[in-house]
Amino acid sequence: KAGVTQTPRYLIKTRGQQVTLSCSPISGHRSVSWYQQTPGQGLQFLFEYFSETQRNKGNFPGRFSGRQFSNSRSEMNVSTLELGDSALYLCASSPGTGTGNTIYFGEGSWLTVV
Amino acid sequence: AQKVTQAQTEISVVEKEDVTLDCVYETRDTTYYLFWYKQPPSGELVFLIRRNSFDEQNEISGRYSWNFQKSTSSFNFTITASQVVDSAVYFCALSEVNAGGTSYGKLTFGQGTILTVHP
Protein backbone atom coordinates (compact mmCIF):
# COMPACT_ATOMS: atom_id res chain seq x y z
CA LYS A 1 0.00 0.00 0.00
CA ALA A 2 1.53 3.29 -1.06
CA GLY A 3 2.12 5.86 1.64
CA VAL A 4 1.43 9.57 1.63
CA THR A 5 3.14 11.19 -1.35
CA GLN A 6 4.16 14.81 -1.46
CA THR A 7 5.52 16.83 -4.37
CA PRO A 8 7.79 18.58 -4.89
CA ARG A 9 10.30 17.47 -2.28
CA TYR A 10 12.47 20.56 -2.48
CA LEU A 11 11.87 23.98 -3.88
CA ILE A 12 13.31 27.46 -3.72
CA LYS A 13 11.13 30.51 -4.22
CA THR A 14 11.65 34.24 -4.14
CA ARG A 15 9.96 36.52 -1.64
CA GLY A 16 6.64 37.72 -3.00
CA GLN A 17 6.05 34.70 -5.20
CA GLN A 18 3.46 32.04 -4.56
CA VAL A 19 3.87 28.29 -4.22
CA THR A 20 1.61 25.26 -4.55
CA LEU A 21 2.38 21.97 -2.83
CA SER A 22 0.66 18.71 -3.62
CA CYS A 23 -0.27 15.70 -1.50
CA SER A 24 -1.68 12.31 -2.42
CA PRO A 25 -3.08 10.49 0.61
CA ILE A 26 -3.04 6.79 1.32
CA SER A 27 -5.62 5.02 -0.81
CA GLY A 28 -8.99 5.06 0.92
CA HIS A 29 -8.12 7.92 3.24
CA ARG A 30 -10.44 10.89 2.98
CA SER A 31 -8.85 13.24 5.48
CA VAL A 32 -5.79 15.25 4.55
CA SER A 33 -4.13 17.70 6.88
CA TRP A 34 -1.16 20.01 6.49
CA TYR A 35 1.51 21.04 8.95
CA GLN A 36 4.34 23.55 8.94
CA GLN A 37 7.58 22.68 10.71
CA THR A 38 10.15 25.34 11.55
CA PRO A 39 13.05 25.30 14.03
CA GLY A 40 11.50 28.12 16.03
CA GLN A 41 7.83 27.17 16.13
CA GLY A 42 8.03 23.41 15.78
CA LEU A 43 5.19 21.51 14.17
CA GLN A 44 2.06 23.57 13.67
CA PHE A 45 -1.27 22.54 12.22
CA LEU A 46 -2.37 24.47 9.17
CA PHE A 47 -5.69 22.93 8.15
CA GLU A 48 -7.54 19.69 7.51
CA TYR A 49 -9.74 18.71 4.60
CA PHE A 50 -12.31 15.94 4.53
CA SER A 51 -14.46 15.14 1.52
CA GLU A 52 -13.40 18.35 -0.22
CA THR A 53 -14.40 20.54 2.74
CA GLN A 54 -12.13 22.29 5.18
CA ARG A 55 -13.02 20.73 8.52
CA ASN A 56 -10.47 22.33 10.79
CA LYS A 57 -8.12 25.27 10.61
CA GLY A 58 -5.07 26.44 12.54
CA ASN A 59 -3.90 29.96 13.28
CA PHE A 60 -2.24 30.98 10.06
CA PRO A 61 -2.84 34.06 7.92
CA GLY A 62 -5.07 33.96 4.87
CA ARG A 63 -2.01 33.68 2.62
CA PHE A 64 -2.10 30.00 3.44
CA SER A 65 -4.91 28.17 1.70
CA GLY A 66 -5.72 24.70 0.60
CA ARG A 67 -8.16 22.56 -1.26
CA GLN A 68 -9.06 18.95 -1.71
CA PHE A 69 -10.21 17.22 -4.84
CA SER A 70 -12.81 14.51 -5.29
CA ASN A 71 -10.08 11.84 -5.34
CA SER A 72 -8.92 13.12 -1.90
CA ARG A 73 -5.70 14.56 -3.28
CA SER A 74 -4.94 17.92 -1.75
CA GLU A 75 -2.99 21.04 -2.55
CA MET A 76 -1.90 23.86 -0.36
CA ASN A 77 -0.98 27.30 -1.61
CA VAL A 78 1.04 30.06 -0.02
CA SER A 79 0.77 33.44 -1.66
CA THR A 80 3.06 36.45 -1.30
CA LEU A 81 5.83 34.39 0.21
CA GLU A 82 7.82 35.77 3.12
CA LEU A 83 11.23 34.68 4.36
CA GLY A 84 9.56 33.26 7.44
CA ASP A 85 7.59 30.82 5.30
CA SER A 86 10.76 28.81 4.78
CA ALA A 87 9.89 25.49 6.39
CA LEU A 88 9.20 21.82 5.97
CA TYR A 89 5.57 21.36 4.97
CA LEU A 90 4.16 18.00 5.94
CA CYS A 91 0.98 16.41 4.69
CA ALA A 92 -0.83 13.73 6.65
CA SER A 93 -3.70 11.43 5.83
CA SER A 94 -6.15 9.36 7.81
CA PRO A 95 -9.49 7.66 7.16
CA GLY A 96 -11.28 10.64 8.69
CA THR A 97 -14.24 8.69 10.03
CA GLY A 98 -14.75 6.12 12.73
CA THR A 99 -12.72 5.90 15.89
CA GLY A 100 -9.05 5.50 16.49
CA ASN A 101 -7.74 6.91 13.26
CA THR A 102 -4.00 6.72 12.86
CA ILE A 103 -2.53 9.73 11.11
CA TYR A 104 0.24 8.99 8.62
CA PHE A 105 2.66 11.55 7.27
CA GLY A 106 4.46 12.04 4.00
CA GLU A 107 8.13 12.92 3.57
CA GLY A 108 7.35 16.60 3.32
CA SER A 109 8.19 19.45 1.00
CA TRP A 110 11.19 21.58 1.92
CA LEU A 111 10.47 25.18 0.97
CA THR A 112 13.18 27.81 1.00
CA VAL A 113 12.21 31.44 0.43
CA VAL A 114 15.05 33.75 -0.60
CA ALA B 1 -6.47 24.43 24.74
CA GLN B 2 -4.36 21.36 24.31
CA LYS B 3 -0.69 21.32 25.12
CA VAL B 4 2.10 18.77 24.92
CA THR B 5 5.39 19.19 26.74
CA GLN B 6 8.55 17.26 26.02
CA ALA B 7 10.92 18.69 28.58
CA GLN B 8 14.00 16.90 27.26
CA THR B 9 15.37 18.85 24.33
CA GLU B 10 18.30 16.56 23.65
CA ILE B 11 19.42 13.19 24.98
CA SER B 12 22.71 11.51 24.22
CA VAL B 13 23.35 7.87 25.07
CA VAL B 14 25.79 5.14 24.18
CA GLU B 15 24.58 2.15 22.23
CA LYS B 16 22.85 -0.54 24.31
CA GLU B 17 21.79 1.90 26.99
CA ASP B 18 18.09 2.20 27.83
CA VAL B 19 16.56 5.62 27.32
CA THR B 20 13.20 7.10 28.30
CA LEU B 21 11.62 10.04 26.52
CA ASP B 22 9.13 11.99 28.59
CA CYS B 23 5.82 13.44 27.43
CA VAL B 24 3.29 15.36 29.51
CA TYR B 25 0.04 16.61 28.05
CA GLU B 26 -2.83 18.91 28.95
CA THR B 27 -6.38 18.64 27.66
CA ARG B 28 -9.89 19.25 28.87
CA ASP B 29 -11.26 16.49 26.68
CA THR B 30 -12.23 13.19 28.25
CA THR B 31 -11.62 11.34 25.01
CA TYR B 32 -8.41 11.87 23.12
CA TYR B 33 -5.59 10.05 21.38
CA LEU B 34 -1.89 10.20 22.01
CA PHE B 35 0.78 9.47 19.43
CA TRP B 36 4.53 9.06 19.17
CA TYR B 37 6.34 9.76 15.91
CA LYS B 38 9.97 9.41 14.89
CA GLN B 39 11.53 11.90 12.50
CA PRO B 40 14.81 10.90 10.83
CA PRO B 41 16.88 13.51 8.95
CA SER B 42 14.89 12.85 5.77
CA GLY B 43 11.95 14.67 7.36
CA GLU B 44 9.18 12.11 7.24
CA LEU B 45 7.27 11.57 10.47
CA VAL B 46 7.18 7.84 11.08
CA PHE B 47 4.23 6.61 13.12
CA LEU B 48 5.20 4.56 16.18
CA ILE B 49 2.11 4.21 18.34
CA ARG B 50 -1.40 5.49 18.99
CA ARG B 51 -3.06 5.19 22.39
CA ASN B 52 -6.60 6.21 23.30
CA SER B 53 -7.45 7.86 26.58
CA PHE B 54 -9.42 4.87 27.85
CA ASP B 55 -6.63 2.36 27.44
CA GLU B 56 -4.00 2.68 30.13
CA GLN B 57 -2.31 -0.61 29.44
CA ASN B 58 1.37 -0.35 28.79
CA GLU B 59 2.49 -1.53 25.40
CA ILE B 60 5.65 -3.21 24.25
CA SER B 61 6.78 -3.59 20.67
CA GLY B 62 10.20 -5.11 20.33
CA ARG B 63 12.68 -2.76 21.96
CA TYR B 64 10.03 -0.04 22.31
CA SER B 65 7.65 0.33 25.23
CA TRP B 66 5.18 2.99 26.27
CA ASN B 67 3.87 3.90 29.69
CA PHE B 68 0.58 5.81 29.75
CA GLN B 69 -0.51 7.24 33.09
CA LYS B 70 -3.70 9.25 32.96
CA SER B 71 -3.35 10.30 36.61
CA THR B 72 -0.18 12.22 35.81
CA SER B 73 -1.10 13.05 32.18
CA SER B 74 2.04 11.38 30.94
CA PHE B 75 2.81 9.13 28.00
CA ASN B 76 6.46 8.14 28.22
CA PHE B 77 8.43 6.17 25.65
CA THR B 78 11.31 3.84 26.48
CA ILE B 79 13.83 2.36 24.07
CA THR B 80 15.60 -0.66 25.48
CA ALA B 81 19.12 -1.48 24.34
CA SER B 82 19.33 1.57 22.08
CA GLN B 83 20.96 1.35 18.68
CA VAL B 84 22.58 3.94 16.42
CA VAL B 85 19.59 3.64 14.05
CA ASP B 86 17.38 4.98 16.84
CA SER B 87 19.02 8.39 16.47
CA ALA B 88 16.27 10.79 15.39
CA VAL B 89 13.89 13.41 16.69
CA TYR B 90 10.95 11.95 18.57
CA PHE B 91 7.63 13.73 18.86
CA CYS B 92 4.73 13.16 21.20
CA ALA B 93 1.36 14.42 19.95
CA LEU B 94 -2.22 14.79 21.14
CA SER B 95 -5.28 14.50 18.93
CA GLU B 96 -8.65 16.12 19.20
CA VAL B 97 -11.70 13.95 18.69
CA ASN B 98 -15.29 14.84 17.99
CA ALA B 99 -18.31 13.66 19.97
CA GLY B 100 -18.37 10.43 17.96
CA GLY B 101 -14.79 9.63 18.81
CA THR B 102 -13.42 10.39 15.35
CA SER B 103 -9.93 11.76 15.41
CA TYR B 104 -9.67 14.84 13.26
CA GLY B 105 -6.41 15.37 11.45
CA LYS B 106 -5.36 18.00 13.94
CA LEU B 107 -2.47 17.03 16.17
CA THR B 108 -0.86 19.15 18.85
CA PHE B 109 2.83 18.31 18.97
CA GLY B 110 5.45 18.66 21.63
CA GLN B 111 8.71 20.37 20.76
CA GLY B 112 10.43 17.08 20.17
CA THR B 113 13.39 15.32 21.76
CA ILE B 114 16.58 14.88 19.77
CA LEU B 115 18.00 11.46 20.56
CA THR B 116 21.59 10.69 19.62
CA VAL B 117 22.87 7.18 20.11
CA HIS B 118 26.65 6.89 19.93
CA PRO B 119 28.35 3.64 18.91
Side-chain angles (χ1 to χ4, degrees):
Chain A
K1 199 173 186 180
V4 180
T5 305
Q6 291 187 245
T7 56
R9 285 278 285 138
Y10 303 93
L11 66 166
I12 300 174
K13 290 286 187 179
T14 303
R15 200 168 35 174
Q17 287 186 315
Q18 73 166 8
V19 66
T20 299
L21 308 178
S22 180
C23 173
S24 293
I26 291 171
S27 178
H29 284 188
R30 293 163 61 191
S31 168
V32 173
S33 30
W34 290 89
Y35 291 80
Q36 181 197 64
Q37 185 177 20
T38 59
Q41 298 299 315
L43 278 154
Q44 293 185 287
F45 172 77
L46 281 155
F47 31 65
E48 183 219 6
Y49 285 86
F50 177 78
S51 291
E52 302 179 65
T53 301
Q54 189 180 84
R55 189 163 66 171
N56 217 335
K57 188 178 186 303
N59 297 320
F60 278 81
R63 300 185 298 108
F64 292 83
S65 62
R67 60 177 176 168
Q68 187 179 35
F69 302 97
S70 58
N71 61 358
S72 293
R73 192 177 68 85
S74 177
E75 290 181 348
M76 69 161 282
N77 182 276
V78 188
S79 62
T80 319
L81 283 166
E82 301 176 358
L83 295 179
D85 297 332
S86 294
L88 175 64
Y89 289 88
L90 289 159
C91 170
S93 82
S94 69
T97 60
T99 59
N101 289 178
T102 293
I103 299 169
Y104 296 95
F105 284 81
E107 290 186 301
S109 293
W110 295 88
L111 170 65
T112 301
V113 182
V114 298
Chain B
Q2 299 189 330
K3 184 179 180 182
V4 176
T5 302
Q6 295 179 253
Q8 304 148 308
T9 305
E10 291 190 53
I11 299 176
S12 181
V13 299
V14 176
E15 213 170 15
K16 297 184 183 178
E17 283 186 31
D18 298 347
V19 57
T20 295
L21 309 181
D22 297 333
C23 172
V24 175
Y25 63 92
E26 297 175 28
T27 180
R28 293 182 178 179
D29 296 337
T30 55
T31 302
Y32 49 89
Y33 291 92
L34 294 162
F35 297 78
W36 275 95
Y37 289 91
K38 173 182 179 180
Q39 187 176 44
S42 62
E44 179 182 6
L45 283 171
V46 178
F47 167 77
L48 295 177
I49 190 171
R50 183 193 77 237
R51 171 68 71 220
N52 74 51
S53 52
F54 293 100
D55 184 359
E56 289 196 65
Q57 282 190 336
N58 292 334
E59 180 151 344
I60 298 174
S61 176
R63 297 184 296 107
Y64 296 170
S65 62
W66 290 269
N67 181 265
F68 174 37
Q69 292 196 339
K70 207 168 178 179
S71 60
T72 57
S73 296
S74 65
F75 186 41
N76 297 335
F77 172 32
T78 297
I79 302 174
T80 303
S82 61
Q83 299 176 0
V84 173
V85 294
D86 295 327
S87 296
V89 184
Y90 290 86
F91 289 94
C92 179
L94 176 63
S95 171
E96 291 184 1
V97 298
N98 64 11
T102 297
S103 174
Y104 289 156
K106 179 179 181 180
L107 293 171
T108 300
F109 283 90
Q111 287 299 310
T113 297
I114 302 171
L115 173 64
T116 303
V117 182
H118 299 280

